[in-house]
Amino acid sequence: MPNDKRNRKNLSWSRLDNAAKIFPPTSHGSATGVFRLSCELTEPVAPDVLQTALDRTLKRYPHLLMVMRRGVFWYYLEQTTLRASVVPEHAPPCAALYEGSRSLLFRVSYWRHKVSLDMYHVLADGAGAIEFFESLMTAYLILRHPEAGVDGLPQASVSQRWADSFQKYYKPHSGGKASEGLGRAYRLRGVRRADGGLTVIEGVADVRQVLAAAHRCGATLTVYMTALLLSAIHSEMYVREQKKPVILTVPVDLRSFFPSRTTRNFFGTIRVGYDFSRRSGELEDIVACVAAAFKEELTPERLGARMNQLAALEHNPVLRLIPLALKNPVLRLSGAVSDRGETAALSNVGKLHLPEALCPFVRGFGVFMSTGATQLCTCSFGTSLHFGFTSAFENTEVQRRFFELLVDEGIEIEIRSNEYHEEEETSCSDAPAAE
C-alpha cells in the first residue's frame, strides 16, 4: 500500500514513548527491563523454518528492527539494517538485551520444543509483543504444517502499529484526578542471587479450575490472583512488619480504554494495597478490598488523568532542555522512590490466540518479566493457565505459598523450576516444593 511505503521510510528514527523513557536509566542488575514470551510446541523446533518465519513476519513489523542511541536530551530509536537471527537459547529468561547502539532490542531463541521472544520494554509492551509473537508462531506453524490449510492473519498497518498513543491521547491541563499514593509499602527481603539474575518458577493449571475458585469468591480471575498473591506475601511477613501495607503494582493495557492498534508501549499502572494490621486478612476480605480498588481505578477518567500526569513531565519545557547526562540520575532516583511504594507486581496479559487449526501443535504459552523484587505474570491459552514468577531473591517462600493456596482449593499445579534446561516438569497435587 502507498501509505505503508511512506510510513516505512519515516521509520528512520523515533523518540521513545512516554512509558519507555524510564527503562534505560533504571535497567540494571536483575531489573533488565526485558520481558519474555514463550511458546511450547508438541514437537522439536525446526530452526531453519523458524528463521524463515521470522524474516517473513518482520516484513510486516519493520519498526521492530531498531537500535537505541543516546541523544543530547533523550534516548531515541534508530532503524537498522541488522538482521534478526534465530539463535539456540543460551541466556536465562529476561537477560539484558541492550548492549549499545549495535544491538537489536529483541531476541528470538529456541530450545527443544520451545520458542522464546525476549524484548526490551523500550520497544513494545506486553500486548504489542504478543501480537508480534502470535504472528511469528502462526507463520512458523503454517510453514511447518501446510496441511493445516491456514492463511496468514489480517494485520494492522505499519503506521497503526508504530503510533505513539500516549501522544495521541495526551490532554494538557486535563482536569481529571489521578489516584493518590498508598504510602510506603512493605518491601520483600532476602538474599539476592549471586549471579545477579532471576529466580524463575513456572506453574501451569487448568484455567477452568482457577476460574471456578475465583467465582466461588465472587471475583474475576485477575482480582482472585491479586488477592492470593497479597495473602501469600502476608504469610512471610514478621508481625512487626505488618504495620506497612502490602502493595501490588498491576499494569493495565490502555487499549481497553482508548482505541489503539499500536504495538509500542501503551499501558498504565494501578496500585492495589491491603493493610493486614487493620483488616481481618481473610481471603474473602482481601478479595473484596481488591475488587473495590479495581472498580475505582479502572476507569477511563482515572487512567487518563494518570496518563496525562506522566506525559506532562515529558512536555515540561524545562525538563526537555536538561541534558541526558543530568536527566538519568533524576530518573533513577524517581524510579527508586517509586519502588518504595511497591511490594511486588502482578501482570495478567490475558489470553493468547492462534488459528484453531494450529492449536493442536501447541502445548501452551508463558510470560515472564524482569524485576528487582518479585513479579508474577500470567497468561492463558486454551484451557491452560500459566504462572510465571520471577524474583531477584533466592528465597521462594512467597511463590511456594501462592501455589499452596491454589492447591488448597483443589487446583492441580504443574511446577517447573528456573533450571529449565535440566529440570523436567512435575505434576503435583500437594503443596509444591519450589527449590
Side-chain angles (χ1 to χ4, degrees):
M1 294 187 300
N3 286 340
D4 258 15
K5 290 181 180 179
R6 286 197 297 270
N7 286 318
R8 288 168 190 262
K9 292 179 181 179
N10 292 333
L11 288 173
S12 57
W13 74 279
S14 176
R15 296 182 178 88
L16 269 62
D17 60 68
N18 182 260
K21 285 181 167 64
I22 192 63
F23 289 102
T26 59
S27 297
H28 58 86
S30 61
T32 59
V34 175
F35 60 92
R36 166 174 287 196
L37 297 170
S38 64
C39 178
E40 186 177 1
L41 304 170
T42 58
E43 59 192 355
V45 175
D48 55 338
V49 178
L50 182 59
Q51 182 66 60
T52 300
L54 179 59
D55 292 340
R56 292 183 179 181
T57 305
L58 283 171
K59 289 179 180 178
R60 301 195 301 271
Y61 294 83
H63 52 284
L64 296 183
L65 291 171
M66 294 278 190
V67 295
M68 188 169 71
R69 295 186 178 276
R70 293 174 63 105
V72 176
F73 300 106
W74 293 105
Y75 290 93
Y76 66 96
L77 299 175
E78 182 178 78
Q79 196 164 38
T80 178
T81 58
L82 291 173
R83 188 191 185 206
S85 298
V86 169
V87 296
E89 188 167 316
H90 62 276
C94 309
L97 278 171
Y98 176 61
E99 298 172 354
S101 60
R102 295 295 296 170
S103 64
L104 290 175
L105 303 176
F106 70 95
R107 179 192 300 118
V108 176
S109 60
Y110 65 92
W111 180 75
R112 293 186 183 176
H113 295 67
K114 184 177 289 187
V115 177
S116 296
L117 168 69
D118 289 279
M119 186 167 287
Y120 193 25
H121 227 314
V122 301
L123 200 58
D125 61 12
I130 284 172
E131 181 189 315
F132 171 70
F133 196 48
E134 288 174 338
S135 296
L136 172 63
M137 295 314 302
T138 298
Y140 171 79
L141 290 170
I142 287 174
L143 290 169
R144 197 82 162 91
H145 295 282
E147 72 279 6
V150 175
D151 295 324
L153 295 174
Q155 303 291 333
S157 68
V158 173
S159 60
Q160 287 176 316
R161 295 193 201 103
W162 197 234
D164 187 341
S165 291
F166 284 110
Q167 296 293 338
K168 179 179 180 180
Y169 289 105
Y170 171 59
K171 294 181 180 180
H173 313 298
S174 172
K177 183 180 180 182
S179 58
E180 297 180 1
L182 297 173
R184 189 167 181 174
Y186 164 72
R187 298 283 286 162
L188 291 168
R189 300 179 303 174
V191 176
R192 293 182 178 270
R193 287 176 59 102
D195 60 4
L198 292 168
T199 297
V200 179
I201 296 178
E202 297 180 71
V204 181
D206 189 319
V207 68
R208 295 167 296 188
Q209 292 184 347
V210 183
L211 276 171
H215 293 163
R216 286 195 295 270
C217 293
T220 65
L221 184 63
T222 304
V223 166
Y224 182 65
M225 291 188 294
T226 304
L228 288 183
L229 185 55
L230 287 166
S231 181
I233 293 171
H234 174 241
S235 69
E236 298 307 311
M237 296 174 69
Y238 297 134
V239 173
R240 65 178 181 273
E241 296 172 325
Q242 295 184 15
K243 61 184 179 181
K244 292 181 182 178
V246 179
I247 300 175
L248 301 184
T249 295
V250 181
V252 178
D253 183 4
L254 293 177
R255 297 166 186 81
S256 300
F257 300 88
F258 305 94
S260 173
R261 294 295 302 276
T262 185
T263 58
R264 300 179 75 175
N265 289 295
F266 193 45
F267 71 95
T269 60
I270 64 171
R271 283 185 167 168
V272 180
Y274 190 89
D275 191 337
F276 287 92
S277 68
R278 298 184 178 184
R279 303 186 70 119
S280 69
E282 297 293 330
L283 183 59
E284 292 77 8
D285 187 61
I286 302 175
V287 165
C289 183
V290 171
F294 273 46
K295 183 177 180 180
E296 180 179 359
E297 296 293 335
L298 295 180
T299 67
E301 295 75 21
R302 189 63 68 92
L303 292 169
R306 174 63 174 162
M307 181 170 59
N308 289 328
Q309 187 181 70
L310 294 175
L313 294 175
E314 179 185 355
H315 289 84
N316 185 297
V318 176
L319 184 61
R320 292 174 70 174
L321 293 175
I322 297 175
L324 184 61
L326 299 178
K327 277 195 184 89
N328 278 341
V330 174
L331 291 172
R332 279 193 290 269
L333 179 61
S334 174
V337 171
S338 178
D339 287 346
R340 293 172 65 182
E342 173 187 307
T343 305
L346 183 147
S347 178
N348 179 15
V349 303
K351 191 170 186 177
L352 283 91
H353 302 273
L354 291 177
E356 187 175 352
L358 301 178
C359 292
F361 307 113
V362 176
R363 288 179 179 164
F365 286 85
V367 58
F368 308 91
M369 179 67 202
S370 62
T371 177
T374 295
Q375 176 143 350
L376 170 62
C377 294
T378 66
C379 68
S380 65
F381 177 77
T383 61
S384 175
L385 179 62
H386 181 273
F387 303 93
F389 267 109
T390 49
S391 177
F393 307 114
E394 293 181 356
N395 184 296
T396 59
E397 291 303 304
V398 168
Q399 297 93 312
R400 178 187 60 81
R401 182 57 186 152
F402 178 86
F403 289 125
E404 282 181 345
L405 290 170
L406 287 172
V407 170
D408 289 344
E409 292 294 322
I411 298 167
E412 295 183 359
I413 307 289
E414 179 186 288
I415 302 295
R416 303 168 187 174
S417 78
N418 61 317
E419 303 304 326
Y420 49 92
H421 281 187
E422 301 169 4
E423 299 287 337
E424 295 297 329
E425 61 268 18
T426 57
S427 291
C428 68
S429 55
D430 299 302
E435 298 179 352

